Each structure stands twice: as structure tokens, then as C-alpha cells.
Amino acid sequence: MMSTLEMIDQQVHPAVGEWELPAFVEESAMPSREGDRVIQYREALREAMSEEMRRDQRVFLIGEEVAQYNGAYKVSQGMLEEFGEKRIIDSPISESGFAGMCIGAAMYGLRPIVEFMSWSFSLVAADPILNNAPKMLYMSGGQWGCPIVFRGNDGAGGQLGSTHSWCVEALFANVPGLKMAIPSNPYDAKGLLKTAIRDPDPVFFLESERMLGDKAHVPEEEYYVPFGRARVCREGDAVTLVSFGRPVQFCMEAAGQLAGEGIECEVLDMRTIRPLDIDSVIESVRKTGRVVVVDQSWPFAGISSEVITQVCERGFDWLDHQPVRVNAADVPTPYAKELESAYLPNTERIVAAVKKTVG
Amino acid sequence: MTAMVKTRGGAGAGLSAGLSDDVVIGWLRDMVLIREFELRTMSAYQQAKIGGFCHIYIGQEAAVVGTFGAVEHDDPVVTAYRDHGHALARGMSPDVCMAEMFGKITGCAKGKGGSMHMFDRPNWLFGGHGIVGAQTPMGAGLAFGARYEWEVMGRGKKKVCLCYLGDGALNQGALHEAMNMAGILSIPVIYIVENNGYSMGTAIDRGTTMADKLWKKAEAYGIEHRTIDGFDVCSLYDEFRPFVDVLRDEQRPGFVDLKTYRYQGHSMSDPQKYRTKEEVAGHQEKDCLDRHAHHLMSERGCLSEDAFKEMQKDAKEQVKEAVAFAEGSAAPTVEGELYSDVYANPQKNLSPVRDYAHGTKNPLQ
């Protein structure tokens, strides 16, 4: 028998090589969200990757059309020119192959960024991304981790029909060992992606084709948005609206409309799903007594179910009304415009859900 | 263990006849150890001291020993679930390997992996992987990482990755995606098909096209290939070594159809109705271990019968001690290990149930 069991140091895990997370600051100390350096969401993503690639030679980008084509959605435009073909790599259409390959590269010591043109296409890579990446550290008894970022478009809204409109958050967030970030705006897209690249664990980074052209001020300076800290986008005392990703925008629209009727919603953008900043949700619920969770994935065993369960577990006594969820309709994503817009958790449905809780 | 044979030299220069006696005797010692280890594993499994699935390597020893003999200690290796032989031949102590199967904290994965998941960081063994074919893109990635290191980062050296798979994995999509990528990106991964003729209970010609011309699969991806007899460790080395040297130097992929045979069932729970006893006996007549022992004693004349007996006795003793070590080791504690090694950076609120933590250091680190 071993006489003494040596503990792993809390900061330096031997399984993932050198890693260093930046010192995170409070939201109030972050660079301002107001300003005139207005760029697109896709440019914010590109800045995050380019900055981290300049900083760390271990970081490379691989995916379908990321190099010569400049990205199927132009996220990686110009990166081939700056970093060369050894670090910006066009892959064949083999999600299982290149995702699995990058897991090996991450174990070897590199920091791969794997772009899925759409998260819908990641389903053929389920074994590497779910069965290998998040479990490697555990399965090897702490010998090898998997510092890797999988990123791509998630969610419906472009009339792409059912197979191309996946919201993978509920399906994948179920697996322990991975982290999941889902920015709703350009500022967070940059700050969260930089954190994702620096984090030593596998990060599933969910973007949205519908948001890539969104514009906002993004600071030029380096900043990192910490995982596990929700942002209060709008303060209110009537109802807590919890969301993440693109539906945060619908929540803000709904909150604006409701304010006109005298109902002040507090809107929380979770920013990461795993870790989930339940503390901020509870803090808000203590004030409002009401919670509506808006989630673009399906309702059955979804993220909204998880948030509501945790609210009930930790804040049941503060609730004045049963929690309410607004999800995508519980059907495969339809093609027709009218059906698709009814399918999504739109502003109208959010307004109705809020009214139900305060009515 | 002397598996990490240092045999630097140009193509063809290091063929087995030119190797020192120590090296070729070391190969036999490794093969004997693996065989004795597996015999003990089987009895421990039958006594329910080992749980889960358990796949025995007996019969295939030359395959791993001969191929490892042709590479460097720091060349990455990854394999499938029939991995005890790979772990031992890479230099893992039998104690640690057995303790893993017994589910003990002293095992290579602290009892969290089991028989199919042998990981050994100091010996560059990147697992034991349980899903058929899952390790094949990973093998490409390990080789990619090594190549990237010297090519982009300007450090390290030219390496090859040995990625082992069974013939059953030939029909997994992951392998074909990986081979295509290895071909396109010129990745120095060598796919070694340990072709024992059966994917579980399905004979190769019932599940795989061109079963007698597996090299055609590699040709489809522009990958250079060899078909090698895996029953004679010396001739295996003689053919494999120059192949490795060229692929290392030119940094491109390879494929080997390595003919071998397992004497035991697919796993411990296999009644083996798909083959005859005569078939197994026929292969045992050309047993790789006997053949190499005979070669060293009668042809090369560098090993006495007594020394061989001594070697067998030592291996038996070593393995017996491994069982005692495993039995005497503590199980991982629920408090210390259930929620550790899940995240390298275990932050708050990753789980609704409780916080993750770091556990004990791996015994191999």
C-alpha cells in the first residue's frame, strides 16, 4: 500500500501542461460596453482567436473552410494570411475525424480550436466530443486532460430545416467534464472565447449564425469574461427572466414592452451554462419572487428544466408563483417561415409567460 | 523491463541480427511477463477480483514487443481495449497494471479506468480506449501534435505515433476519416492492425471486404503499407524497423497488417463457438513465445535452457507480487476520488450536486 497519498496542487494540474487563467475582475471593473468601436459578432470571435494565437503558439484553428475560403461564415477571415497554413487548417468534411484528431493533439500538449460549421454537424462526432474529450482526465486517473475548444453555430432561425437547426446545449451539457459557453452579444463573444481558449478543460462554445452580423462596441484592449458569472442586462423587481445565447435578445425586447405596461423584468444573461451561475439567479428571485426561463432548446430535460430545478432546490421559499419556462416548440424544427418563428421562443411568447406569472 | 530498446540507426542498419543479445533476450522477457501476467489476470477475473470487460492478449505478444522495439521511448502510443500487453511492454509496472484492474488507488488510473483504459504518461502510452476505432483519430492527433511541435514551435524532434487497432476497427468510420486526414496532412501516424482474424466472434472475411488484401484500405488513402507476419518477433522487427525509420524521416503515415492470433476468447465471457479447438491448436504450434525462445536458445545460442527457466520463474514471481500488491492496495475513497479528476480547473457551480475538487496525485506522476 502507498504510505501517503500526495494531493494535486490546486492551481497547477499536471495533466494539461502549462496553463494560466487571467485574473478576472468584477463586471464593474471590466472595460466599458459603451463606445464607438463597433464591430460584428464574427469579428469579435476572430479577435479573440487571433489575440490568443499571437500569445500562445500551441493554439491552432481547424475546421471546414476555415483557411482558404476564409470561413464558411467569415469568422476566420484573414487568419490564414496572418498565421499560415500550419496553424489555420482546412479539414475535410470529417467531423468525427478532425474532432478526434484534435483530442489527440490536445493530449499531446497543443490547444486546438475546432470549428464546427454548425453544431448540427457535431452529432457525427459524438464519440470523440462526448465520450473522449470530457472523460479523458477522469479515465486516465488525472494523467491527461483535454484542453480544447469546440465552437460553431447553434440554434435555428435561418429556415434551414430540422437537421441543420440543432440546439445542442441540453443534449451536451448533460455530460460532466465539459464546460459550455453561449454568448449573446459581440462583447461577451470576445471575452468568453478568450477565456475558453485559456481554460484547461474542454469548452463547448455555442455561437449563432443569426447573431454573427450583430454589431456592438467591443473594446480593443484585452479582456476576459469569466465563466460562471451571469450578467444582469436589465434590472427589475417584478419577474426574473433567465436566458442565454440569442434568446437574451428576445428577453430584452419583451422586457422593454412589459416596462411600458408597468412590469419591470430583471433580465439575466447566464453567459455560461456549465458552470451555471445559479447564485445570481437566486439573488434575483429573492427580489422578484418570480422566474421565467427562456431556452431555445426543447423543453423535455432541457436547460430550462435544470435552471428551474435548481431554483426550486435552492430558492423555493422565495417563490410567489411556480416557475415558468419558454422553450422551442417540442417538435423537429420546421422550414416554413411562419412555423419556424412560432417554433422559437420569441418576444410574444415571453411576454405572455411573464404576464402569466404576474397575473 | 527492457522494452524501451534504444536502437538508433539508419534504415536496415539495426536489424535484429545486429542487435545485442540483451535486447533480443529482453524481448523474450517481455513476452514471458505478458503471458504470465495474463494467466494471472484470467484467474483473478474468474475469482471476481477484476470486474467489467477484460480482454486477454495471450498469443499476440510478439506483435507489441516487436513493434515497440522499433521505436523510441518518447514516441507516443495509443491502443484499443486489449491493452495490458501494451502497458507492460511500454514499461508500466505489473503492480500498477494489476492494481488498476483490481480497482485500486495504486492503479495507473487510480482505479477509474479499469482493464480497457491503461494510461501511462511517463511511458508515453496515451490509453487504452474502449470504443472500437475511437483511438484512430486520436493517434493521428498525437502524431500531428508531435509534428506541430517541431515544425511550428521549433522544439522537439521528428516522431511517429504508433496507433494500434484490431481488425474489427477496420470497419469503423473513424478510422477511414483518420486515414484520409493522415494522408492529406501527411501526419506521421502508423496504424498497426493487430489482425487476429476475429472482430469478437465474426471472422474477418465475414465482416471485412478484401480481408486477404487489407493493404488496399491504406492504398485508398495514399498511405504506404506493409503486411507483416506477427508470429516471429525478429522477422517482424526486421521488416517494421526500416519502415518506421523512413516514415519518421519523411513524416508521413503508414499502415501495417500485422498477422497475429489470440488464444483466448474475445473477452473473458466468450464461449468461442465461432472457431474450432483445432484451429487454436494449429496456431499454438507456431507460438510466438516458443519460437523466439527456440531461436535464442538453439539458433542464436545466446540463452541457456536454465536461463530461460529462470526467466519464466522470475516472471511468475513478479506477477504473483503484482497480485499481492493489488490485493493489498486500498480502494479509491469515495470522498477523495469520486468527484476528482473531472475538471483540471474545477470552478464553482459546474454541477448542481456538489463542487468538484482535485484528488490525489496519480501514482505514475
Side-chain angles (χ1 to χ4, degrees):
Chain A
M1 260 182 82
M2 289 166 73
S3 52
T4 52
L5 297 172
E6 202 184 335
M7 300 299 288
I8 287 172
D9 186 279
Q10 289 302 302
Q11 291 305 317
V12 188
H13 200 292
V16 285
E18 285 173 28
W19 63 281
E20 184 197 357
L21 281 177
F24 294 115
V25 295
E26 290 302 317
E27 193 71 24
S28 55
M30 298 275 289
S32 174
R33 288 174 174 267
E34 308 299 324
D36 54 7
R37 190 173 175 273
V38 175
I39 62 170
Q40 292 184 5
Y41 190 112
R42 59 163 61 80
E43 295 172 284
L45 294 169
R46 187 188 312 147
E47 278 191 5
M49 292 192 287
S50 297
E51 286 177 17
E52 293 304 313
M53 286 186 65
R54 285 177 208 129
R55 192 186 67 84
D56 187 348
Q57 273 197 316
R58 298 173 300 176
V59 183
F60 68 94
L61 172 69
I62 188 168
E64 292 148 8
E65 311 293 0
V66 298
Q68 290 192 13
Y69 196 89
N70 276 311
Y73 293 95
K74 305 297 171 221
V75 172
S76 55
Q77 190 156 35
M79 289 179 71
L80 173 64
E81 206 176 332
E82 177 175 356
F83 297 104
E85 60 177 20
K86 295 290 175 193
R87 297 183 72 195
I88 306 294
I89 303 163
D90 277 326
S91 72
I93 303 178
S94 308
E95 282 82 5
S96 180
F98 66 80
M101 185 185 102
C102 287
I103 289 165
M107 290 172 78
Y108 194 84
L110 304 186
R111 295 290 185 271
I113 305 171
V114 178
E115 178 175 308
F116 291 126
M117 200 182 293
S118 160
W119 275 99
S120 297
F121 308 158
S122 75
L123 300 182
V124 296
D127 186 59
I129 69 172
L130 301 180
N131 220 359
N132 292 322
K135 297 175 176 175
M136 201 59 75
L137 187 66
Y138 201 80
M139 223 166 50
S140 67
Q143 292 192 73
W144 274 292
C146 192
I148 191 168
V149 177
F150 298 109
R151 46 161 290 268
N153 291 312
D154 177 72
Q159 281 196 278
L160 300 176
S162 184
T163 56
H164 283 51
S165 298
W166 264 89
C167 283
V168 295
E169 44 268 50
L171 197 62
F172 291 172
N174 187 241
V175 182
L178 60 82
K179 295 177 179 175
M180 186 178 282
I182 178 162
S184 70
N185 57 74
Y187 182 102
D188 288 337
K190 179 175 171 182
L192 285 170
L193 185 52
K194 282 172 69 71
T195 304
I197 296 167
R198 289 255 201 139
D199 195 277
D201 292 306
V203 179
F204 286 41
F205 199 88
L206 277 48
E207 300 152 13
S208 162
E209 186 219 334
R210 307 304 295 166
M211 292 195 295
L212 290 175
D214 288 2
K215 289 180 178 172
H217 168 71
V218 173
E220 196 166 11
E221 65 190 281
E222 282 225 315
Y223 65 96
Y224 294 83
V225 173
F227 284 6
R229 283 195 220 159
R231 174 172 166 258
V232 180
C233 311
R234 183 186 175 109
E235 290 188 32
D237 56 11
V239 178
T240 302
L241 268 176
V242 177
S243 195
F244 39 83
R246 186 174 172 228
V248 171
Q249 301 181 354
F250 308 146
C251 288
M252 290 300 281
E253 279 172 28
Q257 274 185 36
L258 289 157
E261 301 176 36
I263 303 168
E264 290 296 337
C265 298
E266 183 143 291
V267 180
L268 259 64
D269 181 350
M270 299 311 291
R271 301 198 288 197
T272 59
I273 288 171
R274 208 165 174 158
L276 183 76
D277 183 8
I278 194 67
D279 302 332
S280 294
V281 177
I282 299 297
E283 196 185 313
S284 177
V285 168
R286 286 173 68 156
K287 185 166 66 173
T288 63
R290 292 169 167 79
V291 62
V292 173
V293 185
V294 181
D295 171 5
Q296 61 180 344
S297 55
W298 290 308
F300 198 97
I303 305 297
S304 55
S305 333
E306 181 56 39
V307 173
I308 289 171
T309 303
Q310 292 196 36
V311 167
C312 291
E313 286 169 341
R314 300 190 195 198
F316 189 76
D317 290 346
W318 304 98
L319 290 170
D320 295 325
H321 189 280
Q322 75 266 32
V324 172
R325 56 181 164 175
V326 178
N327 286 89
D330 207 1
V331 298
T333 318
Y335 163 74
K337 213 171 199 163
E338 295 74 11
L339 290 180
E340 191 187 49
S341 111
Y343 165 92
L344 288 165
N346 51 41
T347 308
E348 200 181 320
R349 286 173 58 202
I350 297 167
V351 168
V354 169
K355 285 186 174 170
K356 188 174 154 193
T357 65
V358 295
Chain B
M1 298 292 294
T2 50
M4 293 303 98
V5 184
K6 301 290 180 196
T7 44
R8 275 206 168 281
L15 301 184
S16 59
L19 295 174
S20 74
D21 290 345
D22 282 353
V23 170
V24 289
I25 292 171
W27 290 351
L28 184 63
R29 190 176 297 116
D30 287 353
M31 291 161 73
V32 169
L33 177 67
I34 294 169
R35 185 154 302 185
E36 289 299 332
F37 185 91
E38 292 294 58
L39 288 169
R40 280 275 170 179
T41 299
M42 287 166 69
S43 66
Y45 191 89
Q46 278 149 358
Q47 293 162 28
K49 288 178 179 168
I50 297 172
F53 292 137
C54 191
H55 309 85
I56 300 298
Y57 199 65
I58 293 177
Q60 301 185 199
E61 293 90 341
V64 74
V65 170
T67 47
F68 279 179
V71 298
E72 301 288 326
H73 177 237
D74 57 2
D75 282 323
V77 170
V78 68
T79 185
Y81 45 79
R82 195 180 304 283
D83 59 352
H84 315 157
H86 301 74
L88 295 173
R90 265 263 123 171
M92 185 187 290
S93 110
D95 291 5
V96 171
C97 192
M98 192 64 84
E100 183 57 34
M101 290 194 277
F102 276 55
K104 300 301 178 74
I105 188 74
T106 50
C108 67
K110 302 196 291 183
K112 291 176 173 180
S115 161
M116 300 188 284
H117 303 116
M118 294 295 169
F119 289 81
D120 188 341
R121 192 172 178 120
N123 285 313
W124 297 81
L125 175 62
F126 288 76
H129 294 276
I131 302 295
V132 174
Q135 78 281 14
T136 56
M138 230 180 277
L142 294 166
F144 173 91
R147 180 172 180 150
Y148 186 98
E149 198 174 39
W150 67 262
E151 207 169 49
V152 175
M153 302 175 70
R155 65 175 201 217
K157 58 183 182 183
K158 286 182 176 178
K159 293 186 179 185
V160 292
C161 170
L162 299 188
C163 180
Y164 295 83
L165 55 142
D167 47 289
L170 286 166
N171 304 314
Q172 279 283 32
L175 172 68
H176 293 269
E177 294 191 16
M179 288 205 292
N180 183 59
M181 303 242 315
I184 286 282
L185 297 173
S186 195
I187 298 173
V189 56
I190 305 176
Y191 290 109
I192 299 173
V193 182
E194 292 189 72
N195 180 1
N196 63 24
Y198 292 94
S199 55
M200 201 166 158
T202 302
I204 187 164
D205 56 1
R206 290 179 56 225
T208 304
T209 54
M210 299 180 289
D212 55 347
K213 300 183 197 71
L214 293 183
W215 52 269
K216 286 200 168 188
K217 315 259 178 197
E219 291 240 304
Y221 302 104
I223 295 179
E224 198 174 331
H225 49 79
R226 295 284 184 275
T227 299
I228 300 179
D229 179 332
F231 298 98
D232 181 339
V233 70
C234 287
S235 70
L236 190 171
Y237 175 87
D238 293 346
E239 288 185 64
F240 187 63
R241 177 67 204 252
F243 188 48
V244 172
D245 289 346
V246 170
L247 298 177
R248 181 194 304 281
D249 187 48
E250 297 177 6
Q251 292 285 283
R252 54 191 176 83
F255 177 96
V256 178
D257 176 4
L258 188 52
K259 309 280 190 196
T260 183
Y261 197 79
R262 64 166 153 78
Y263 300 163
Q264 304 299 319
H266 162 73
S267 71
M268 287 295 295
S269 53
D270 175 4
Q272 302 182 60
K273 297 248 164 78
Y274 50 85
R275 63 183 183 184
T276 61
K277 283 185 178 138
E278 290 71 32
E279 180 187 308
V280 179
H283 278 93
Q284 282 170 326
E285 275 171 30
K286 52 174 184 173
D287 179 63
C288 62
L289 200 158
D290 290 349
R291 188 151 163 182
H292 190 47
H294 173 77
H295 170 68
L296 296 185
M297 290 190 289
S298 308
E299 293 162 15
R300 185 153 167 156
C302 64
L303 183 73
S304 70
E305 210 160 309
D306 283 350
F308 180 47
K309 278 182 184 154
E310 194 64 24
M311 186 188 285
Q312 288 174 309
K313 210 179 117 200
D314 285 351
K316 276 195 175 74
E317 194 53 39
Q318 226 181 327
V319 172
K320 213 172 121 187
E321 280 167 17
V323 171
F325 174 85
E327 275 181 325
S329 291
T333 64
V334 173
E335 192 40 51
E337 293 301 325
L338 185 60
Y339 274 80
S340 72
D341 302 321
V342 181
Y343 292 94
N345 173 25
Q347 354 180 197
K348 198 173 172 235
N349 285 330
L350 277 164
S351 167
V353 183
R354 54 161 279 187
D355 284 341
Y356 295 102
H358 290 314
T360 53
K361 237 180 204 171
N362 188 287
L364 296 175
Q365 278 167 336

